[in-house]
């Protein structure tokens, strides 16, 4: 297993090594030590490898991830797993703003709390947050699932499209066009699968509420002008 020490190895060399991996490579598990808050660690990985980052990172860690399993054994700065395509990213600590932004696929698990705008403009990614999330989360979220075991801040799901939001705790306020919806059997099944994938053993799908789009902002209507 290659071990890359960012105290002595330039970050560019780490990312280049990850980009150079080809299908069938023998190097399938990388360990990154001494990340020391570096930005853009393990970005653009496009092979089914495992990367363990032993410490906290700065912004845009695991951005554009495609197929890889990346675990951050610490906290992550803004934009973790931004524009993720597939694979799995796990943050063992907390995540800063816009975690999982514009993500198109894969699974992002945050075992601590997430700050504001978690899942902004998500386009198919699944995000599971064990703790709380900040304000304006899932803003303009188009597709995918945001699961929150704790509480959600103000303006949850503002201008939401067809993404689903599941929250077990309290919601401070809902954004424009976001409403609470019925939790049907199909949603309980989706939620149970996501909780299992995210390693959540102490929560049941029945404890959550579902939120989604009222679909009143899809087209301009003068009666809804105050909501724009």
């Amino acid at each position: 297993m290659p071990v890359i020490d960012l105290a002595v190895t330039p970050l560019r060399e780490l990312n280049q090594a990850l980009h150079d991996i080809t299908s069938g490579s023998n190097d399938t598990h990388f360990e990154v030590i001494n990340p020391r808050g570096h930005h853009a660690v393990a970005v653009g990985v496009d092979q089914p490898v495992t990367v363990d980052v032993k410490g906290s990172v700065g912004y845009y860690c695991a951005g554009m991830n495609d197929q890889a399993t990346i675990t951050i054994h610490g906290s992550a700065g803004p934009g973790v797993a931004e524009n993720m395509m597939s694979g799995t990213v796990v943050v063992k600590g907390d995540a800063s703003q816009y975690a999982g932004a514009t993500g198109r696929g894969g699974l992002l698990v945050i075992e601590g709390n997430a700050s504001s705008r978690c899942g902004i403009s998500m386009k198919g990614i699944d995000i599971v947050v064990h703790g709380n999330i900040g304000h304006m989360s899932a803003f303009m979220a188009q597709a995918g699932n945001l699961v929150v075991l704790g509480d959600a801040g103000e303006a949850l799901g503002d201008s939401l499209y067809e993404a689903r939001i599941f929250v077990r705790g309290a919601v401070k306020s809902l954004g424009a066009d976001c409403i609470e919806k019925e939790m049907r059997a199909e949603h309980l099944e989706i939620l149970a699968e996501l909780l299992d994938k995210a390693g959540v053993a102490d929560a049941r799908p029945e404890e959550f509420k579902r939120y989604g789009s009222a679909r009143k902002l899809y087209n301009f209507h003068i009666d809804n002008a105050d909501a724009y």
Side-chain angles (χ1 to χ4, degrees), residues 46-81:
D46 63 356
Q47 294 293 327
V49 297
T50 299
V51 182
D52 279 293
V53 183
K54 300 291 188 173
S56 296
V57 293
Y59 54 70
Y60 300 133
C61 181
M64 300 178 290
N65 185 57
D66 193 3
Q67 303 185 69
T69 298
I70 299 174
T71 303
I72 302 158
H73 297 267
S75 294
V80 64

Side-chain angles (χ1 to χ4, degrees), residues 7 13 28 69 86 121 179 218 222:
E13 290 187 17
T28 60
T69 298
S86 68
S121 194
I179 59 173
Y218 275 31
I222 190 62

Side-chain angles (χ1 to χ4, degrees), residues 38-44 57-65 70 72 75-84 89 91 94-103 108 110 114-120 125 127:
H38 271 301
H39 306 308
V41 174
V43 296
V57 293
Y59 54 70
Y60 300 133
C61 181
M64 300 178 290
N65 185 57
I70 299 174
I72 302 158
S75 294
V80 64
E82 183 176 69
N83 203 35
M84 181 172 167
V89 175
V91 181
D94 298 324
S96 189
Q97 302 178 79
Y98 43 91
T102 72
L108 169 62
I110 299 167
S115 187
S116 61
R117 297 175 177 84
C118 179
I120 183 173
I125 189 174
I127 303 175

Side-chain angles (χ1 to χ4, degrees), residues 91-95 109-115 118 127-134 137 146-153 166-170 195 200 202 208:
V91 181
K92 292 291 185 179
D94 298 324
V109 180
I110 299 167
E111 296 189 0
N113 302 309
S115 187
C118 179
I127 303 175
V128 179
V129 181
H130 288 220
N132 306 319
I133 58 172
S137 289
L146 172 60
V147 179
V148 184
L149 276 73
D151 300 332
F166 302 97
V167 182
R168 184 171 66 164
L195 292 172
V200 177
D202 59 348
F208 291 75

Side-chain angles (χ1 to χ4, degrees), residues 24-36:
S25 172
N26 290 327
D27 292 332
T28 60
H29 191 172
F30 290 75
E31 184 174 290
V32 180
I33 61 174
N34 293 315
R36 299 178 300 165

Side-chain angles (χ1 to χ4, degrees), residues 192-204:
E193 183 178 351
L194 287 171
L195 292 172
D196 182 62
K197 285 182 178 179
V200 177
D202 59 348
R204 296 181 296 108

